Amino acid sequence: MIYINQLSKHVDEQVTLKGWVYNYRSSGSLVFVEMRDGTGLTQCVIAKDDVSESTWEAASSLKQESSLEITGTVKADDRSIGGHEIHVSDVTVIQIAEDYPITPKDHGVEFLMNNRHLWLRSQRQWAAMRVRNEIIFAIHTFFQERNFVQMDSPIFTGNAAEGSTTLFETEFFEEPAYLAQTGQLYGEAMAMAHGLIYTFGPTFRAEKSKTRRHLSEFWMIEPEMAYYDLEMDMNLAEDMIRFIVKTVLDKRANELKILERDTTKLQALVDNPFIRMTYTEAVDILTSKATAQMLDDMLASRKEEEKALKKEREEIKKEHGSAKKWRKKQIEARQIEIGARLDQIEEDYRNIPKWKKSAQEFEWGNDFGGSDETVLTMQYDVPVMVTHWPAEIKAFYMKRDESGKHALGVDVLAPEGYGEIIGGSQREDDLEVMRERIAEEGLDESVFEWYLDLRKFGTVPHAGFGLGLERTVAWLCGLSHVRETIPFPRMMGRLTP
């Protein structure tokens, strides 16, 4: 069976492709079908004079998302999508689709989410899922090549790892249980057996948040390393992100182009070291006059851009009435682009003043909110690694520095305003200190007995981190919301389809 992404190996040969109609248009004695088969798109040209009457009738009956088989000769054509074109000799219709609900017009997000099972077929969603797949493969490759063992942590747990306020509670054979927030505690146990391990699985958070960065069900990659300290932990995280980005740039250039991703920004972090700063230094930057001025300048530039876009929209609207058919399609596509950008500018008008207020009023000791991460990372072309957080706002299992005031933790914030994609730390390895921390948090020590055993039997310095897959996909694809980074998102208010 031949697939579209293999056509370059079959130029001037006859092939049969099986797939679906992505787009369809006819022009007198010619029918043009953009066909998709899951691996890509290609244009198929059906000339009435070159095919049988039954084939012509079959081709003329096609509609968007109809399923079909097409046989024809592969021709190289740089002007065609994918660089090839099929000169068709035969068409077999599998099914004529009903009127497809998703059309080239601008649909609302709620409509698209309700039709997520169909929206996945669109080119941008297809591209995002292919990038997601590449990221997953790159993660496995990175760790497997470095002597790590993949291990699986349980989804049902009997205790909270990061506080009880964001847990989904369920019943496990008449006992209370929770859906796992993280596999980290179990990862520590596995690292004491194998030295270097990583888990890769679903995690769940019940916080009632509707921000663009939150899902209730998402995938986490959590390495744990025996005999690692914070510095080694950070070096591994930086190496991993750089490896992932380089792999995506090398292997998914076509998908990034479909997504209209500015790859120069991704290349910058492949070539340059990440920014490292303490929490205190980050707070100083957030509250600085330079940051306030940056946000004022951003607001002013949005106003200029809005003015130019509205002027362009009026000009092409006047042109549309007398334009030829091909030009009308260009104008309609551009109108959709302008509308989407103006919507984003409207959102920026609402957000930028809030970001400025939050940054300027930020107080040392608070945790960063999404807007604070956005403002900080807007100022750099590479990820920012923030370390030495106030101990009180970090998890009980994080080791503290000699002063006891700072947790030896790190948050890795992606540039361009995407915010946290990694949270990690050196873990507390002292038994008595860990007992004190559990008591301070008001947790039941009895459910952590197995975890405390790790400090009784061969305790060692160790560290680890967690990478959020969906946030990473959003960042590398340039997507504004994590709902587009997973096939079927689960978030507050969204349990279907």
Side-chain angles (χ1 to χ4, degrees), residues 108-119 493-494 496-497:
V109 170
E110 194 66 17
F111 173 86
L112 292 171
M113 290 302 297
N114 288 338
N115 288 277
R116 181 63 174 167
H117 53 296
L118 301 177
W119 190 25
R494 173 63 57 185
T496 58

Side-chain angles (χ1 to χ4, degrees), residues 466-477:
L467 171 75
L469 177 61
E470 284 72 25
R471 289 188 181 184
T472 304
V473 174
W475 165 44
L476 296 190
C477 289

